[in-house]
Amino acid sequence: MAVKSSRYVTIKGIKDGLIFQFDDQCEFNDLVTELTYKLEHSHQNILTGPLVHIDMKLGKREITDEQKDTLLDILSQKGNLIVRSFDSPHEEPVVASLPEKHMVKTISGMIRSGQVLEHEGTVLFLGDVNAGGTIISTGDIYILGALRGMAHAGIDGNEQAVIAASFFSPTQIRIADMISRPPDEGESRESHMEFAYLQDGIMKIDKMANIARLGRDFNVFKGV
C-alpha cells in the first residue's frame, strides 16, 4: 500500500526567494523529519546553485529557542539557503542577521573624484570608480567596471575580504590594515577581471576565475 505523502512542509517560490510554510498542528519531530527529507531528496532544482533567501512561516506554532535552532541548523546544511526572516507567534517577522559574507548590496552609478561610497557588508558596485574616488566596505568589494581610484575592503579588520574589478588599475587598495602600492606608471593591466586578497600578510592579485582557491563558500562551475 502506498504511503500518503505528508504536507507538513510546503515550499513556495516567490519573486526574490522561497517561503517555507510549516504545519502548526503536527508533532515537531514530524516537521523535522519531513524538512530534512525534502532538503535531501526533493526540490534539487531550487535548493542547489545560487544563494536563495528563505522566509520561514510557522503559523500559530509556538516553539522553543532550541527548536528554532534545530530548524535553522537543518537549513544551514544547504550552503545556498539563507534564512531572511522567521515568522513565529511571539515575534514580528523581521529580517534575520545574516553572515557578513552573504550581506551583498548592489549599487550602480559612478564614483567620481572626491566622492566616497561607504557600505556595511559586501558590496557589488555596477560602474566605475574614477581616480580620486573611494569605495569602502566592511566586507568584500566587487566592481563590475573600472577601479581607478581607491578601494578599502574589510575596514573593521577582516583580513579575509577581497577586492575585485573588471578593470583593475587602482591608485591604492587596502584590505584590513594592509595597504598596497599603486601600479607602476605605464604598467599594463590584464583585460580580464582580477581580485586582490591577503595571503600570509602579503597583498596578492589573481584572475577572478581563481577566487575559489581561497576556500570561500562559492559554487564553482567546472564544465565538462
Side-chain angles (χ1 to χ4, degrees), residues 111-115 128-134 146-150 169 171:
I111 302 177
R112 297 178 172 84
S113 179
Q115 295 181 323
D128 295 336
V129 181
N130 290 341
T134 302
L147 172 58
R148 297 186 176 92
M150 195 275 274
S169 185
T171 54

Side-chain angles (χ1 to χ4, degrees), residues 9 20 22 28-40 47 54 56 66-83 86:
V9 180
F20 278 47
F22 298 96
F28 181 76
N29 287 342
D30 293 334
L31 199 68
V32 168
T33 299
E34 182 172 338
L35 176 61
T36 302
Y37 178 85
K38 285 195 170 182
L39 291 181
E40 292 179 353
L47 300 182
I54 304 297
M56 302 177 67
E66 182 178 355
Q67 290 174 327
K68 179 178 178 179
D69 289 341
T70 297
L71 296 178
L72 294 174
D73 286 343
I74 294 172
L75 289 170
S76 71
Q77 299 305 309
K78 292 288 184 178
N80 69 312
L81 299 184
I82 306 299
V83 177
F86 200 100

Side-chain angles (χ1 to χ4, degrees), residues 151-217:
H152 188 175
I155 60 172
D156 58 355
N158 179 13
E159 296 184 352
Q160 303 303 312
V162 301
I163 300 172
S166 300
F167 180 78
F168 205 91
S169 185
T171 54
Q172 186 183 90
I173 52 176
R174 303 183 183 185
I175 297 178
D177 297 325
M178 181 64 64
I179 304 175
S180 79
R181 64 174 179 82
D184 293 332
E185 187 69 25
E187 179 182 345
S188 61
R189 301 304 306 162
E190 298 287 350
S191 59
H192 46 247
M193 193 168 188
E194 296 176 297
F195 73 100
Y197 64 102
L198 293 182
Q199 185 177 75
D200 299 325
I202 300 174
M203 187 86 69
K204 296 189 175 182
I205 298 177
D206 200 350
K207 298 177 182 180
M208 193 64 184
N210 295 329
I211 196 169
R213 296 177 182 176
L214 298 183
R216 305 279 287 278
D217 186 19

